[in-house]
Amino acid sequence: MSDNPAPTAPPVRRSHGWIAWLIVVAMALVAGAWGWTQWQARSARESEQQADAGQRLDALEGRIDAIRRDQRSQLQRLQQADATNRVLRDEVLGIGQRSSLIEDTVSKLADPDRHGEQALRLDEAELLLNMAQQRLLIAGDLDGARRAYVLAGNVLDGIDDPAYLSLRQTLQQERAGVDALGTEPRVRAMAELDAFAQTISTAPVEAHSNVPVDAPWWRRAFATLIDVQPSDRTVAVQPADRIAAASGLQLEISLARAAAERRDEAGFRTALQRAEGWMTRLWPPSPMLDRQRAQLRQIAARELSLSLPTLGSTLQQLRQLRAAG
């Protein structure tokens, strides 16, 4: 055997372990960086997706608002169209009714039994009688009513049908009643009231001093300074009092005239009663005052409305004859 020792393996260097650890750490850092990058990218994509979703939501809300506006506009148009249709439907119905009336009128005129000319004359007479009645009741125009009655009589004279003979007699009676009225009651009362109002300026003024000539000198001397009057005296003596009394009387007469214009008999008589009270402030007790008060009471007793029992009898009889025919 040799004395040389056997060879041994060289020792493993510890630097190789550190390198492995470095590689592992590097790989971990690379993996972390890659994960961080992926997380950032995913976060960015999610933010973009959220922003895009918000924009889409806003756009969707805008579209919904636009659709709602369009819906309201369409609803208004439908309502307008519905109203227009109702108006057109009413107009069509009115046209249909007028057409039926025209056809009825034409058929009546074409009917030989009804005598078209006679129907026209009856229509004209009815219109004139209705006009005469309105002129009397509404306007109080006796002259216009008389002319309308004359025209209606001329129209009825052209009808030879014996069924309308009694109608002409009734018209003559009604015309006679209207002619007997003379003047329209309201116009007559207002004319009398105007004539009475002009007599106010003739009210006498009492002297301030009624001292006899043979009175003592001291009484005649102080008569212009002291005016002794009874305590129950109501006649106005001072100019201002007489002006106020005359103004009050004129005011009551104006109110009575306005009441007569609208045929208010109660207001007319009440105003004249108050006017009679003002007269006692202008006139002293005398026959003249009694005459004035009697005249005022006579005016107050006037009727303001027409009283004609036969008024409208011809028109009523004409309508009954036409309805029966």
Side-chain angles (χ1 to χ4, degrees):
M1 294 183 57
S2 173
D3 294 331
N4 291 330
T8 60
V12 180
R13 298 181 179 177
R14 292 184 178 180
S15 61
H16 292 171
W18 289 103
I19 292 173
W21 280 106
L22 290 175
I23 292 172
V24 172
V25 171
M27 291 179 65
L29 290 175
V30 170
W34 181 82
W36 174 260
T37 305
Q38 293 296 323
W39 183 78
Q40 289 289 336
R42 186 174 62 183
S43 299
R45 285 195 301 272
E46 291 177 354
S47 299
E48 291 178 356
Q49 290 177 357
Q50 291 179 357
D52 188 15
Q55 294 177 357
R56 291 182 180 179
L57 182 59
D58 293 338
L60 183 59
E61 290 178 353
R63 291 179 182 176
I64 293 175
D65 292 337
I67 291 173
R68 288 176 178 174
R69 288 193 298 270
D70 293 340
Q71 184 179 5
R72 287 194 295 268
S73 177
Q74 292 294 333
L75 182 60
Q76 292 177 357
R77 291 178 182 176
L78 289 175
Q79 291 176 352
Q80 293 176 357
D82 189 16
T84 304
N85 290 333
R86 285 198 298 269
V87 173
L88 292 175
R89 183 170 59 253
D90 294 339
E91 290 181 355
V92 170
L93 291 175
I95 292 173
Q97 292 176 356
R98 286 193 293 269
S99 299
S100 62
L101 291 175
I102 292 173
E103 291 177 359
D104 189 15
T105 304
V106 172
S107 63
K108 289 179 180 179
L109 293 176
D111 189 359
D113 296 333
R114 294 187 61 88
H115 305 290
E117 183 180 358
Q118 176 176 321
L120 291 176
R121 286 183 177 273
L122 292 176
D123 288 338
E124 185 178 0
E126 184 176 358
L127 177 62
L128 290 171
L129 292 173
N130 193 12
M131 185 184 301
Q133 186 175 357
Q134 290 178 357
R135 295 297 298 176
L136 282 175
L137 296 179
I138 299 176
D141 185 6
L142 279 173
D143 294 333
R146 292 188 181 106
R147 288 193 293 270
Y149 278 118
V150 171
L151 293 175
N154 295 333
V155 172
L156 291 178
D157 290 338
I159 299 176
D160 54 358
D161 192 347
Y164 295 96
L165 179 61
S166 61
L167 182 65
R168 288 195 292 270
Q169 294 177 353
T170 305
L171 178 59
Q172 291 177 359
Q173 295 176 0
E174 189 171 355
R175 285 180 57 186
V178 173
D179 294 336
L181 289 176
T183 306
E184 204 271 329
R186 180 182 58 178
V187 176
R188 181 176 58 186
M190 293 177 64
E192 293 178 355
L193 194 61
D194 292 337
F196 175 80
Q198 302 191 2
T199 63
I200 298 175
S201 59
T202 63
V205 181
E206 289 187 332
H208 290 278
S209 178
N210 295 324
V211 180
V213 180
D214 56 351
W217 66 269
W218 58 270
R219 186 175 178 184
R220 294 196 304 270
F222 290 100
T224 58
L225 300 177
I226 301 174
D227 188 11
V228 179
Q229 297 182 4
S231 60
D232 59 347
R233 184 170 184 170
T234 59
V235 179
V237 176
Q238 299 298 327
D241 295 338
R242 294 189 62 82
I243 291 174
S247 299
L249 181 56
Q250 289 284 4
L251 176 61
E252 296 299 338
I253 291 177
S254 299
L255 293 176
R257 186 183 296 109
E261 183 68 26
R262 63 178 184 269
R263 299 182 188 271
D264 183 8
E265 295 185 359
F268 179 72
R269 293 186 175 89
T270 302
L272 292 184
Q273 288 177 359
R274 293 194 299 265
E276 186 177 350
W278 284 110
M279 288 175 60
T280 59
R281 294 282 294 164
L282 291 173
W283 279 275
S286 61
M288 182 178 181
L289 176 60
D290 296 337
R291 288 193 301 271
Q292 295 286 351
R293 295 175 67 179
Q295 182 180 359
L296 189 63
R297 291 174 182 176
Q298 184 179 3
I299 297 173
R302 296 290 187 189
E303 296 291 337
L304 301 179
S305 301
L306 291 170
S307 178
L308 185 62
T310 59
L311 182 62
S313 58
T314 308
L315 180 60
Q316 183 179 3
Q317 184 177 357
L318 175 59
R319 289 174 177 173
Q320 290 177 354
L321 289 174
R322 299 194 69 182

